[in-house]
Amino acid sequence: DMRKKYILESWFNNNLSNPYPPLGTKIEFSEECNLTLKQIESWFASKRSQLKRKYEVKKLNEFSSEKKNILRDFFLNIDQKPNKIQIKELAEQLATSEKKISKWFIDQRFNQKKKNN
């Protein structure tokens, strides 16, 4: 039901800094949405989990402009598809994970391919 979702989403989005509704609010939602208290609590737990994953993915993709410049330089002037050794060296140089470096290169190749189509 869209109305139920709207009620819960609105409260959640307006309280992102502390997305834990007090018991009284959860009881109101339960009555208004015709859901059990457990269903309300599960919905909020799931929503907080989604938010956390979204934040972690975003954090995984962030680089300082200095690090981006180093990666961009490597991508444009050395290799667009670095091997495992090159990825390991870049990760050490930039004090980050090999996974983040690999993902950055995959994203760059994808974006370049998109531009060329």
Side-chain angles (χ1 to χ4, degrees), residues 1-83:
D1 179 328
M2 293 302 290
R3 192 178 146 277
K4 293 175 190 177
K5 186 177 179 187
Y6 176 78
I7 291 167
L8 299 176
E9 295 249 350
S10 293
W11 190 95
F12 187 84
N13 291 332
N14 288 323
N15 293 276
L16 288 174
S17 61
N18 185 21
Y20 295 85
L23 181 59
T25 303
K26 290 190 279 191
I27 290 169
E28 284 176 28
F29 289 150
S30 173
E31 292 167 356
E32 198 171 346
C33 298
N34 197 24
L35 297 168
T36 66
L37 196 55
K38 184 145 183 71
Q39 287 174 309
I40 297 293
E41 289 170 343
S42 293
W43 187 91
F44 277 96
S46 172
K47 203 70 179 152
R48 287 189 298 267
S49 181
Q50 287 173 11
L51 183 68
K52 184 179 176 195
R53 280 194 307 275
K54 188 175 174 180
Y55 174 75
E56 287 169 351
V57 166
K58 185 177 180 193
K59 198 172 163 188
L60 184 68
N61 296 331
E62 288 175 359
F63 281 107
S64 68
S65 55
E66 183 186 337
K67 289 180 181 182
K68 280 183 193 167
N69 288 339
I70 291 168
L71 290 169
R72 211 172 284 121
D73 183 56
F74 191 98
F75 184 82
L76 296 172
N77 301 313
I78 299 172
D79 198 342
Q80 292 185 2
K81 211 169 185 181
N83 62 36

Side-chain angles (χ1 to χ4, degrees), residues 102-116:
S102 292
K103 175 143 180 31
W104 187 90
F105 278 92
I106 290 166
D107 291 346
Q108 293 307 303
R109 290 192 302 270
F110 177 77
N111 290 338
Q112 192 174 58
K113 191 176 178 182
K114 228 171 38 176
K115 275 185 207 169
N116 295 335

